[in-house]
């Protein structure tokens, strides 16, 4: 089978050139495996390729032009392959040689992303400020609670010690009274 063949569309009487994998990879200057990867990504974004009777891809001129745009944009930009394929397939650019239109689309997409990120940053900053305020309030509450608890504890300890001292004094007083009643002079012990 040759790399390039001519198909005639009987319904409109128009002849179209078709290419196989090896011819397209030579035209684009890429390996067959790279071409397969590009085609798989294109199909992921719902691009349809024609197939021959055994199920292999057939490339028409329009397919080759789209693949050329992908290869050119990939070489001229810092985008990932998936981003390039997405941009090319989602754009409605008719001029296959004008990549500046694609760059304009990319710039507007980046502007939208940057604007969204800026909004997110502002919201996140406000949230962080609110969170810091809550943490400070919580810290003050905890500090005040601990101080109040310590004061109550010290008061209870002092009251407890005072009660114990009063009990000891009372016991001592009772013992002294009891001792006073039964206290005899030393000479009275034998009586």
């Amino acid at each position: 089978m040759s790399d390039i063949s001519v198909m005639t569309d009987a319904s409109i009487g128009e002849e179209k050139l078709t290419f196989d994998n090896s011819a397209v990879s030579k035209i684009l200057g890429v390996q067959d495996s790279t071409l397969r990867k590009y085609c798989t990504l294109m199909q992921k974004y719902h691009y349809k390729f024609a197939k021959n009777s055994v199920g292999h891809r057939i490339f028409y001129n329009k397919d080759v032009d789209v693949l050329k745009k992908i290869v050119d944009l990939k070489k001229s930009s810092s985008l990932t392959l998936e981003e390039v394929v997405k941009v090319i397939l989602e754009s409605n650019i008719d001029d296959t040689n004008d990549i500046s239109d694609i760059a304009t689309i990319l710039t507007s997409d980046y502007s939208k992303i940057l604007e969204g990120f800026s909004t997110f940053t502002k919201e996140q900053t406000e949230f962080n400020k609110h969170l810091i305020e809550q943490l400070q309030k919580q810290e003050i509450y905890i500090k005040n609670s601990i101080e109040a608890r310590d004061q109550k504890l010290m008061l209870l300890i002092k009251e407890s010690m005072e009660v114990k001292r009063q009990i000891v004094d009372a016991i001592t007083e009772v013992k002294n009274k009891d001792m006073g009643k039964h206290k005899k002079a030393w000479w009275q012990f034998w009586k």
Side-chain angles (χ1 to χ4, degrees):
M1 182 173 155
S2 70
D3 291 346
I4 302 173
S5 60
V6 177
M7 288 185 73
T8 304
D9 190 349
S11 63
I12 56 174
E14 182 180 311
E15 290 185 350
K16 295 181 179 181
L17 287 178
T18 60
F19 305 91
D20 65 1
N21 282 346
S22 60
V24 174
S25 63
K26 286 177 187 174
I27 292 170
L28 299 176
V30 297
Q31 298 291 324
D32 284 344
S33 60
T34 305
L35 178 62
R36 282 193 299 275
K37 184 175 182 179
Y38 288 3
C39 293
T40 303
L41 275 172
M42 290 170 71
Q43 287 174 328
K44 179 180 174 183
Y45 289 100
H46 310 292
Y47 190 88
K48 303 290 183 198
F49 289 100
K51 305 260 180 158
N52 63 12
S53 59
V54 291
H56 297 148
R57 289 185 193 99
I58 299 173
F59 299 93
Y60 292 105
N61 282 333
K62 69 176 181 74
D63 299 327
V64 174
D65 290 341
V66 171
L67 285 164
K68 281 181 185 177
K69 284 197 287 186
I70 290 171
V71 170
D72 290 344
L73 186 58
K74 177 66 180 139
K75 287 180 181 177
S76 67
S77 72
S78 63
L79 298 175
T80 64
L81 179 60
E82 190 160 347
E83 291 171 334
V84 168
V85 169
K86 184 178 178 182
V87 166
I88 295 293
L89 294 181
E90 289 180 355
S91 66
N92 293 327
I93 299 172
D94 295 329
D95 184 9
T96 60
N97 296 324
D98 190 9
I99 295 180
S100 64
D101 290 341
I102 295 171
T104 304
I105 292 170
L106 290 175
T107 304
S108 68
D109 287 345
Y110 285 135
S111 296
K112 289 177 186 175
I113 291 170
L114 193 58
E115 182 180 310
F117 182 73
S118 176
T119 304
F120 172 76
T121 304
K122 288 177 184 175
E123 290 172 356
Q124 194 65 34
T125 303
E126 289 299 318
F127 175 76
N128 288 346
K129 285 180 184 177
H130 179 69
L131 190 60
I132 288 170
E133 288 173 4
Q134 284 183 334
L135 287 173
Q136 288 172 343
K137 287 178 183 177
Q138 185 178 12
E139 184 179 345
I140 291 169
Y141 172 77
I142 290 171
K143 183 179 177 184
N144 291 339
S145 296
I146 289 173
E147 286 177 4
R149 182 205 63 185
D150 289 347
Q151 288 175 355
K152 288 178 183 177
L153 185 62
M154 290 304 292
L155 182 63
L156 288 173
I157 290 172
K158 285 179 183 177
E159 287 177 358
S160 174
M161 290 182 74
E162 181 64 28
V163 168
K164 285 180 182 179
R165 191 177 52 77
Q166 288 175 355
I167 291 173
V168 168
D169 287 347
I171 290 173
T172 306
E173 187 178 317
V174 168
K175 280 185 182 179
N176 286 340
K177 281 185 182 179
D178 285 344
M179 291 287 238
K181 290 181 182 178
H182 300 292
K183 194 172 185 181
K184 297 180 181 180
W186 62 273
W187 61 86
Q188 293 180 346
F189 280 120
W190 291 277
K191 293 186 181 178

